[in-house]
Amino acid sequence: TEIYTLSLHDALPILSVGARYSAQAGLTWAIDPSLLQGVQAMTKPYQVGATARCRAGTSERADPDAARWLASLRMATKGQSVFLTPYADVDVAALTRRGNLSDLHSAFVTAGQAGRQILHRSPVPAAVPARTGQFSAIAWPTAGIADQTVLDPLAVQGVNTVILAAPALSPVPYTPGAVSSKQTGIGPSLHVLLADHDITNLLASKAAASPKPGDVFQTSQLYLAQTAMIASEQPSNVRPIMIAPPRRWHPPMKLASGLLASTVSAPWLKPSTAGQMVAQPAKRVYPSVTQGPSRAELPASLLRDVSKLDHRIRLLQSIRVKPDPALRRAVFGIESSAWRGSAAKHARLLFDHTATYVRSQLEGVSIRGGGGRHNAYRVTFGGKTAPVNVFVRNNLRYKVKVQLEVEAKHAKVTGDPPAIVVPALSTSSPVKLTVHVKAEHGKIRLSLVAPATSPLGGSALPAVPLVILVHPTDFGTVALVICAGVL
């Protein structure tokens, strides 16, 4: 259910170069916690390719590179500015516009928990500049595009600084400084760091992704030329420049190293940290630093289906004795901004896979009567009142807790327990109900629901209800009369 096919060989160059220049270049590290947990899973034997119906996949050995990569990341970021994306880098703009703020909040909480466990920092982000051992309260909306409807929910999550894309056209005859601010609808203003438009486009070009020496040289020279031109526009006006590469940047190692080396050595550049930048006065040169919705956002139809899936997952978690956090992470993987635009088809495949799994789990619990396999049967009483036994079958690989919902017609049922706990891959002990029939026959309908103490207590499970038709007789009364006559 993770969103990435992880290749540590792709991740190593960025980490290696970043570690070398982290302090010198005043780098700020943006980390997706789902990547961290993916790498952590590879430090132990793991499986890939399991099916939605739990057929085992291919077993892989622990990867020694994974443990080394995590150790290197901890060392490289020690004492440096780090912020976490919401888990799986979910499409913040799409979720807020579709009103799915619950998933957005959960993605931030899950990100903090993973960051604390793996990077050993406080899960609650701190205002920039954050102290050592804390994550910075920075958000970086996808492509740097956000409007007021996106910024307000980010502020609710404790974010105090956002990285946005600078508008393509400057309203003044020079490149303005990167530090601005934006008032939110819930209180204090947000610090806004505007990523330079031309340099971002340069780093996103085909030449910047090419390992050919000529392309590497060309990109490096254009980078120096762009920064030198910005500095020369108004030499006396010292202005901060924010450089944010494309979101999923995979540059050749030589290019990444060269760009950072140039940043450190160029006489017209002085590296600054994010904390040093937000400490500078905000300049409101641009009429607006926000932008409207992007057409590339995750489609509304997908997010509507995900909302329905959210409910089914909460129902499954309600009957599990031990909830599974991987189910939430699976949803974040579907909502990842990695699937924007034409990649939305991959999000749909992930959705279908996850929905199939959740449906199969909910259908793994059933109810039976009299120890048999049928979901309806007839019972003849030797009187008006008699016991009826029912059983709950659990075909899942974990313990569940369910509750019976009783509907009776012309009968009264007592003895149903508040909850029934069933071990993995087994049948419960008999649930002994006492039924008193008030007419010539009675009808009882038993359904399985989530236990009342769970978040979705009383919500029906998809198990087929058990219908019991009860036919009483006068045998018990006649037997008593005969016995009295004998006495």
Side-chain angles (χ1 to χ4, degrees), residues 71-371:
S72 299
L73 180 65
R74 294 188 190 102
M75 183 63 67
T77 57
K78 187 176 182 180
Q80 302 301 313
S81 178
V82 177
F83 73 89
L84 300 175
T85 70
Y87 198 91
D89 193 20
V90 296
D91 193 334
V92 174
L95 289 178
T96 54
R97 251 182 277 284
R98 306 304 169 192
N100 199 340
L101 299 182
S102 175
D103 276 7
L104 179 63
H105 175 71
S106 295
F108 271 100
V109 172
T110 304
Q113 292 170 345
R116 175 181 59 185
Q117 188 235 334
I118 299 175
L119 295 182
H120 313 309
R121 296 192 180 208
S122 170
V124 180
V128 180
R131 296 193 301 271
T132 301
Q134 295 178 311
F135 291 111
S136 297
I138 299 176
W140 184 19
T142 308
I145 296 176
D147 59 15
Q148 197 68 51
T149 63
V150 176
L151 296 181
D152 287 350
L154 289 176
V156 171
Q157 301 304 323
V159 169
N160 83 315
T161 303
V162 293
I163 301 172
L164 300 179
L169 298 177
S170 170
V172 292
Y174 61 90
T175 302
V179 180
S180 185
S181 64
K182 180 66 177 176
Q183 186 70 41
T184 66
I186 64 169
S189 297
L190 290 173
H191 297 293
V192 178
L193 302 180
L194 297 171
D196 186 85
H197 179 269
D198 292 333
I199 294 179
T200 298
N201 286 344
L202 171 64
L203 300 182
S205 65
K206 290 184 178 180
S210 170
K212 295 179 180 179
D215 291 332
V216 171
F217 178 77
Q218 177 188 7
T219 304
S220 298
Q221 292 302 301
L222 286 174
Y223 171 76
L224 283 171
Q226 288 278 8
T227 56
M229 184 177 66
I230 293 172
S232 65
E233 288 170 344
Q234 281 198 342
S236 60
N237 184 4
V238 178
R239 287 153 290 148
I241 303 172
M242 183 71 187
I243 299 173
R247 201 162 197 87
R248 290 169 181 85
W249 195 40
H250 292 290
M253 188 170 181
K254 189 173 182 180
L255 175 62
S257 180
L259 293 177
L260 289 177
S262 298
T263 302
V264 171
S265 62
W268 57 88
L269 294 177
K270 181 182 178 181
S272 300
T273 64
Q276 290 170 331
M277 292 185 73
V278 300
Q280 298 187 33
K283 303 291 186 181
R284 298 187 179 181
V285 178
Y286 294 102
S288 176
V289 295
T290 58
Q291 301 182 51
S294 168
R295 293 182 179 180
E297 287 179 9
L298 292 179
S301 59
L302 172 68
L303 295 182
R304 282 195 296 268
D305 289 342
V306 171
S307 294
K308 297 175 183 177
L309 176 61
D310 280 338
H311 176 80
R312 293 195 292 271
I313 287 177
R314 289 196 297 271
L315 181 58
L316 178 57
Q317 300 282 43
S318 293
I319 68 170
R320 290 183 62 118
V321 172
K322 185 178 180 181
D324 182 8
L327 292 171
R328 293 299 313 151
R329 298 198 295 266
V331 172
F332 302 145
I334 300 168
E335 297 169 334
S336 173
S337 61
W339 311 131
R340 279 188 162 204
S342 60
K345 59 185 179 182
H346 299 298
R348 177 58 66 176
L349 288 174
L350 276 178
F351 170 83
D352 292 341
H353 188 88
T354 307
T356 299
Y357 171 78
V358 173
R359 183 171 58 252
S360 69
Q361 298 301 287
L362 288 172
E363 293 172 351
V365 185
S366 57
I367 183 172
R368 298 174 181 174

Side-chain angles (χ1 to χ4, degrees), residues 397-468:
R397 292 182 171 88
Y398 45 83
K399 188 185 296 185
V400 299
K401 179 189 291 187
V402 296
Q403 185 175 333
L404 285 178
E405 183 176 76
V406 181
E407 298 177 48
K409 185 177 181 180
H410 304 308
K412 181 181 179 181
V413 180
T414 57
D416 51 312
I420 305 166
V421 177
V422 192
L425 301 173
S426 63
T427 301
S428 70
S429 301
V431 179
K432 299 182 178 180
L433 305 176
T434 300
V435 180
H436 175 73
V437 182
K438 301 178 179 179
E440 294 183 358
H441 64 273
K443 182 179 180 181
I444 306 167
R445 189 177 187 270
L446 303 176
S447 306
L448 290 180
V449 298
T453 54
S454 67
L456 289 184
S459 296
L461 299 177
V464 177
L466 174 65
V467 178
I468 305 174

